[in-house]
Short mmCIF file of all heavy atoms in Angstrom, two decimals:
data_model
loop_
_atom_site.label_atom_id
_atom_site.label_comp_id
_atom_site.label_asym_id
_atom_site.label_seq_id
_atom_site.Cartn_x
_atom_site.Cartn_y
_atom_site.Cartn_z
N LEU A 1 80.54 -66.68 -2.11
CA LEU A 1 80.94 -65.87 -3.26
C LEU A 1 80.10 -64.61 -3.42
O LEU A 1 80.47 -63.72 -4.18
CB LEU A 1 80.82 -66.70 -4.55
CG LEU A 1 81.82 -67.85 -4.73
CD1 LEU A 1 81.50 -68.62 -6.00
CD2 LEU A 1 83.24 -67.32 -4.78
N GLY A 2 78.99 -64.53 -2.72
CA GLY A 2 78.06 -63.43 -2.92
C GLY A 2 78.68 -62.06 -2.74
O GLY A 2 78.56 -61.18 -3.60
N LEU A 3 79.34 -61.85 -1.60
CA LEU A 3 79.94 -60.54 -1.33
C LEU A 3 81.13 -60.27 -2.25
O LEU A 3 81.38 -59.12 -2.63
CB LEU A 3 80.37 -60.44 0.14
CG LEU A 3 79.24 -60.39 1.17
CD1 LEU A 3 79.80 -60.28 2.58
CD2 LEU A 3 78.31 -59.21 0.88
N THR A 4 81.86 -61.33 -2.59
CA THR A 4 82.99 -61.16 -3.50
C THR A 4 82.51 -60.64 -4.85
O THR A 4 83.05 -59.68 -5.41
CB THR A 4 83.73 -62.50 -3.70
OG1 THR A 4 84.14 -63.00 -2.43
CG2 THR A 4 84.94 -62.31 -4.60
N ILE A 5 81.47 -61.27 -5.37
CA ILE A 5 80.93 -60.86 -6.67
C ILE A 5 80.34 -59.46 -6.58
O ILE A 5 80.54 -58.63 -7.48
CB ILE A 5 79.87 -61.87 -7.14
CG1 ILE A 5 80.53 -63.23 -7.44
CG2 ILE A 5 79.14 -61.35 -8.37
CD1 ILE A 5 79.54 -64.33 -7.75
N ALA A 6 79.63 -59.16 -5.49
CA ALA A 6 79.05 -57.82 -5.32
C ALA A 6 80.13 -56.75 -5.31
O ALA A 6 79.99 -55.69 -5.94
CB ALA A 6 78.23 -57.77 -4.04
N LYS A 7 81.21 -57.02 -4.62
CA LYS A 7 82.32 -56.06 -4.54
C LYS A 7 82.98 -55.87 -5.90
O LYS A 7 83.25 -54.74 -6.32
CB LYS A 7 83.34 -56.56 -3.51
CG LYS A 7 84.64 -55.76 -3.44
CD LYS A 7 84.43 -54.36 -2.93
CE LYS A 7 85.77 -53.67 -2.69
NZ LYS A 7 85.59 -52.24 -2.36
N MET A 8 83.22 -56.97 -6.60
CA MET A 8 83.89 -56.89 -7.89
C MET A 8 83.02 -56.20 -8.93
O MET A 8 83.50 -55.41 -9.75
CB MET A 8 84.30 -58.29 -8.37
CG MET A 8 85.31 -58.97 -7.46
SD MET A 8 85.77 -60.63 -8.02
CE MET A 8 86.90 -60.24 -9.34
N LEU A 9 81.72 -56.45 -8.90
CA LEU A 9 80.81 -55.80 -9.83
C LEU A 9 80.71 -54.31 -9.53
O LEU A 9 80.66 -53.48 -10.45
CB LEU A 9 79.44 -56.45 -9.77
CG LEU A 9 79.30 -57.84 -10.40
CD1 LEU A 9 77.91 -58.40 -10.16
CD2 LEU A 9 79.60 -57.78 -11.90
N THR A 10 80.67 -53.97 -8.25
CA THR A 10 80.62 -52.55 -7.87
C THR A 10 81.86 -51.83 -8.37
O THR A 10 81.78 -50.72 -8.91
CB THR A 10 80.49 -52.40 -6.35
OG1 THR A 10 79.31 -53.08 -5.89
CG2 THR A 10 80.39 -50.93 -5.96
N ASP A 11 83.02 -52.45 -8.19
CA ASP A 11 84.26 -51.85 -8.68
C ASP A 11 84.24 -51.72 -10.20
O ASP A 11 84.68 -50.71 -10.75
CB ASP A 11 85.46 -52.69 -8.24
CG ASP A 11 85.69 -52.63 -6.73
OD1 ASP A 11 85.14 -51.72 -6.08
OD2 ASP A 11 86.40 -53.51 -6.20
N LEU A 12 83.74 -52.76 -10.88
CA LEU A 12 83.68 -52.73 -12.33
C LEU A 12 82.79 -51.59 -12.83
O LEU A 12 83.06 -50.99 -13.87
CB LEU A 12 83.15 -54.08 -12.86
CG LEU A 12 83.08 -54.26 -14.38
CD1 LEU A 12 84.47 -54.25 -14.97
CD2 LEU A 12 82.35 -55.55 -14.73
N MET A 13 81.73 -51.29 -12.07
CA MET A 13 80.81 -50.21 -12.45
C MET A 13 81.31 -48.84 -11.98
O MET A 13 80.60 -47.84 -12.11
CB MET A 13 79.42 -50.50 -11.86
CG MET A 13 78.78 -51.76 -12.42
SD MET A 13 77.27 -52.27 -11.54
CE MET A 13 76.13 -50.99 -12.06
N GLY A 14 82.53 -48.82 -11.43
CA GLY A 14 83.10 -47.55 -11.00
C GLY A 14 82.56 -47.04 -9.69
O GLY A 14 82.65 -45.85 -9.39
N GLY A 15 81.98 -47.93 -8.89
CA GLY A 15 81.37 -47.53 -7.64
C GLY A 15 82.20 -47.91 -6.43
O GLY A 15 83.38 -48.26 -6.54
N GLU A 16 81.55 -47.87 -5.28
CA GLU A 16 82.23 -48.16 -4.01
C GLU A 16 81.30 -48.96 -3.11
O GLU A 16 80.12 -48.64 -2.97
CB GLU A 16 82.62 -46.84 -3.34
CG GLU A 16 83.37 -47.01 -2.03
CD GLU A 16 83.70 -45.68 -1.37
OE1 GLU A 16 82.85 -44.75 -1.44
OE2 GLU A 16 84.78 -45.56 -0.77
N LEU A 17 81.84 -50.00 -2.52
CA LEU A 17 81.09 -50.84 -1.57
C LEU A 17 81.88 -50.92 -0.28
O LEU A 17 83.04 -51.35 -0.28
CB LEU A 17 80.87 -52.24 -2.15
CG LEU A 17 80.31 -53.31 -1.20
CD1 LEU A 17 78.97 -52.89 -0.62
CD2 LEU A 17 80.17 -54.64 -1.94
N THR A 18 81.27 -50.49 0.83
CA THR A 18 81.92 -50.53 2.13
C THR A 18 80.98 -51.16 3.15
O THR A 18 79.77 -51.28 2.92
CB THR A 18 82.31 -49.12 2.61
OG1 THR A 18 81.12 -48.31 2.69
CG2 THR A 18 83.29 -48.46 1.65
N VAL A 19 81.54 -51.56 4.30
CA VAL A 19 80.75 -52.18 5.35
C VAL A 19 81.23 -51.70 6.72
O VAL A 19 82.44 -51.54 6.93
CB VAL A 19 80.81 -53.73 5.25
CG1 VAL A 19 82.26 -54.21 5.30
CG2 VAL A 19 80.00 -54.39 6.35
N ASP A 20 80.28 -51.47 7.60
CA ASP A 20 80.56 -51.17 9.01
C ASP A 20 79.83 -52.21 9.85
O ASP A 20 78.64 -52.45 9.65
CB ASP A 20 80.06 -49.77 9.39
CG ASP A 20 80.82 -48.67 8.66
OD1 ASP A 20 82.04 -48.82 8.50
OD2 ASP A 20 80.19 -47.68 8.26
N SER A 21 80.53 -52.80 10.80
CA SER A 21 79.89 -53.81 11.64
C SER A 21 80.77 -54.12 12.83
O SER A 21 81.97 -53.86 12.84
CB SER A 21 79.64 -55.10 10.84
OG SER A 21 78.95 -56.05 11.62
N SER A 22 80.13 -54.66 13.85
CA SER A 22 80.84 -55.19 15.00
C SER A 22 79.98 -56.29 15.60
O SER A 22 78.76 -56.33 15.41
CB SER A 22 81.11 -54.09 16.04
OG SER A 22 79.90 -53.48 16.45
N THR A 23 80.61 -57.20 16.29
CA THR A 23 79.92 -58.36 16.83
C THR A 23 78.76 -57.95 17.74
O THR A 23 78.92 -57.14 18.64
CB THR A 23 80.89 -59.25 17.62
OG1 THR A 23 81.99 -59.60 16.78
CG2 THR A 23 80.20 -60.51 18.10
N GLY A 24 77.58 -58.51 17.45
CA GLY A 24 76.40 -58.23 18.25
C GLY A 24 75.70 -56.93 17.94
O GLY A 24 74.68 -56.61 18.56
N GLN A 25 76.20 -56.16 16.96
CA GLN A 25 75.62 -54.85 16.67
C GLN A 25 75.02 -54.75 15.27
O GLN A 25 74.66 -53.66 14.84
CB GLN A 25 76.70 -53.76 16.82
CG GLN A 25 77.31 -53.67 18.20
CD GLN A 25 76.30 -53.29 19.27
OE1 GLN A 25 75.46 -52.42 19.04
NE2 GLN A 25 76.37 -53.93 20.41
N GLY A 26 74.91 -55.86 14.57
CA GLY A 26 74.37 -55.80 13.22
C GLY A 26 75.40 -55.29 12.23
O GLY A 26 76.56 -55.04 12.57
N SER A 27 74.98 -55.14 10.97
CA SER A 27 75.89 -54.72 9.91
C SER A 27 75.23 -53.66 9.05
O SER A 27 74.00 -53.61 8.92
CB SER A 27 76.29 -55.91 9.03
OG SER A 27 76.87 -56.94 9.81
N ARG A 28 76.06 -52.83 8.43
CA ARG A 28 75.57 -51.79 7.53
C ARG A 28 76.47 -51.75 6.29
O ARG A 28 77.64 -51.41 6.38
CB ARG A 28 75.53 -50.43 8.20
CG ARG A 28 74.97 -49.32 7.31
CD ARG A 28 75.03 -47.95 7.95
NE ARG A 28 74.12 -47.85 9.10
CZ ARG A 28 74.53 -47.76 10.35
NH1 ARG A 28 75.82 -47.75 10.65
NH2 ARG A 28 73.65 -47.66 11.33
N PHE A 29 75.90 -52.13 5.15
CA PHE A 29 76.63 -52.07 3.88
C PHE A 29 76.20 -50.82 3.13
O PHE A 29 75.01 -50.50 3.06
CB PHE A 29 76.32 -53.31 3.03
CG PHE A 29 76.98 -54.57 3.52
CD1 PHE A 29 76.42 -55.32 4.55
CD2 PHE A 29 78.17 -55.01 2.95
CE1 PHE A 29 77.03 -56.47 5.00
CE2 PHE A 29 78.79 -56.17 3.40
CZ PHE A 29 78.22 -56.90 4.43
N ARG A 30 77.17 -50.14 2.56
CA ARG A 30 76.89 -48.93 1.77
C ARG A 30 77.42 -49.12 0.35
O ARG A 30 78.57 -49.53 0.16
CB ARG A 30 77.54 -47.71 2.42
CG ARG A 30 76.95 -47.32 3.76
CD ARG A 30 77.57 -46.01 4.26
NE ARG A 30 77.00 -45.57 5.54
CZ ARG A 30 77.49 -45.91 6.72
NH1 ARG A 30 78.56 -46.69 6.79
NH2 ARG A 30 76.91 -45.49 7.83
N ILE A 31 76.57 -48.80 -0.62
CA ILE A 31 76.94 -48.91 -2.03
C ILE A 31 76.73 -47.55 -2.68
O ILE A 31 75.67 -46.93 -2.51
CB ILE A 31 76.07 -49.96 -2.76
CG1 ILE A 31 76.08 -51.30 -2.00
CG2 ILE A 31 76.53 -50.14 -4.19
CD1 ILE A 31 74.95 -52.21 -2.39
#
């Protein structure tokens, strides 16, 4: 539920949450 809640809260605050990732290359979340 962690990412779901983070996304919904970001939207509620009028913001934007995105992610870039690929297998074996790590992940990058932007808020």
Side-chain angles (χ1 to χ4, degrees):
L1 291 176
L3 291 180
T4 303
I5 293 173
K7 173 66 172 172
M8 297 179 77
L9 287 175
T10 302
D11 292 343
L12 183 66
M13 296 170 70
E16 182 182 37
L17 170 58
T18 59
V19 56
D20 294 322
S21 183
S22 57
T23 305
Q25 300 297 319
S27 303
R28 182 184 292 111
F29 286 82
R30 293 186 178 91
I31 308 162

